[in-house]
Amino acid sequence: VSTYNAFANALFQDNALRVGREPDSTLLTEAGAWALAHQVVLDADDEDALIALGLRPERLAEVVIALDHEMVDNEADPDAVVALAGRFTALRELPPKPRARKPGPGKEVLEAVEAVEALETLVPLVQEYERRKRERGVIEYSDQVALALRAIRADPAAAALYRQRYDAILLDEYQDTSVSQTRLLAALF
């Protein structure tokens, strides 16, 4: 009986070397994660792009962490996310709603484009945040599952050991299961 994260962390520690990580990675606290993300924001080169986002550095640090967690939980490729954000801007060219008073798409569409467009600035910050976590040998809860999944994918023989060890896996509140958690269990069992 364990949580996804406890199980994934044990799996990661058993197989960390398969993905070039140390098994004794330290779990980063919320405060530590915020401090690291805040430093990434402060060290960023493109100050104009950050200012254009209209957020204080403290809030940007929170956004970087949240985006990092979402990208890790969904195995999102940073380049694909940036490419999607670039393509999404084409929505500015949508025709207006019928009987609209202004040309172009409505306010909701323009707000969505602006929000998604911010990914072009935010994703490089997330990548730097990830690089610094790895450099320091720290991981977060969301990383535990993703790293366990990478380890199992790196060597399918590792999955066979877990299949032999466990006859059954029971899940509570499956509706709260992330993409990475689902993929980890599918790869294992």
Side-chain angles (χ1 to χ4, degrees):
V1 175
S2 73
T3 65
Y4 276 112
N5 286 82
F7 178 66
N9 191 47
L11 197 152
F12 163 67
Q13 287 178 341
D14 290 346
N15 298 284
L17 297 177
R18 296 177 198 270
V19 289
R21 300 294 285 262
E22 293 297 324
D24 60 348
S25 295
T26 303
L27 190 61
L28 192 59
T29 64
E30 279 187 46
W34 184 89
L36 183 58
H38 189 249
Q39 193 59 54
V40 165
V41 169
L42 294 178
D43 292 345
D45 291 331
D46 196 350
E47 190 175 314
D48 292 338
L50 295 180
I51 290 171
L53 294 176
L55 300 172
R56 295 183 335 275
E58 296 79 12
R59 177 66 183 124
L60 271 172
E62 295 169 2
V63 170
V64 166
I65 292 168
L67 181 57
D68 175 61
H69 293 174
E70 290 299 322
M71 289 177 65
V72 167
D73 283 347
N74 290 286
E75 292 188 288
D77 174 62
D79 293 334
V81 173
V82 170
L84 171 70
R87 289 190 310 273
F88 200 79
T89 60
L91 293 178
R92 283 194 175 105
E93 306 306 317
L94 285 174
K97 294 179 184 177
R99 295 183 298 241
R101 295 182 182 157
K102 295 181 182 179
K107 178 182 174 187
E108 299 85 8
V109 170
L110 293 175
E111 287 173 354
V113 168
E114 187 176 310
V116 172
E117 199 171 41
L119 291 171
E120 294 175 333
T121 300
L122 294 170
V123 168
L125 296 175
V126 168
Q127 289 176 291
E128 178 61 16
Y129 176 67
E130 279 291 322
R131 188 193 69 72
R132 290 188 190 189
K133 284 193 303 184
R134 185 177 182 130
E135 180 182 82
R136 288 165 175 74
V138 296
I139 61 174
E140 293 179 85
Y141 283 114
S142 59
D143 298 322
Q144 292 173 328
V145 175
L147 290 168
L149 177 56
R150 282 188 211 144
I152 292 300
R153 284 179 174 162
D155 185 359
L161 297 172
Y162 289 91
R163 285 187 203 107
Q164 291 171 353
R165 188 181 303 169
Y166 301 106
D167 292 330
I169 299 294
L170 303 175
L171 301 175
D172 184 24
E173 298 191 27
Y174 186 79
Q175 74 275 9
D176 294 332
T177 303
S178 73
V179 171
S180 290
Q181 290 168 334
T182 300
R183 289 180 177 162
L184 174 61
L185 293 177
L188 285 170
F189 307 106

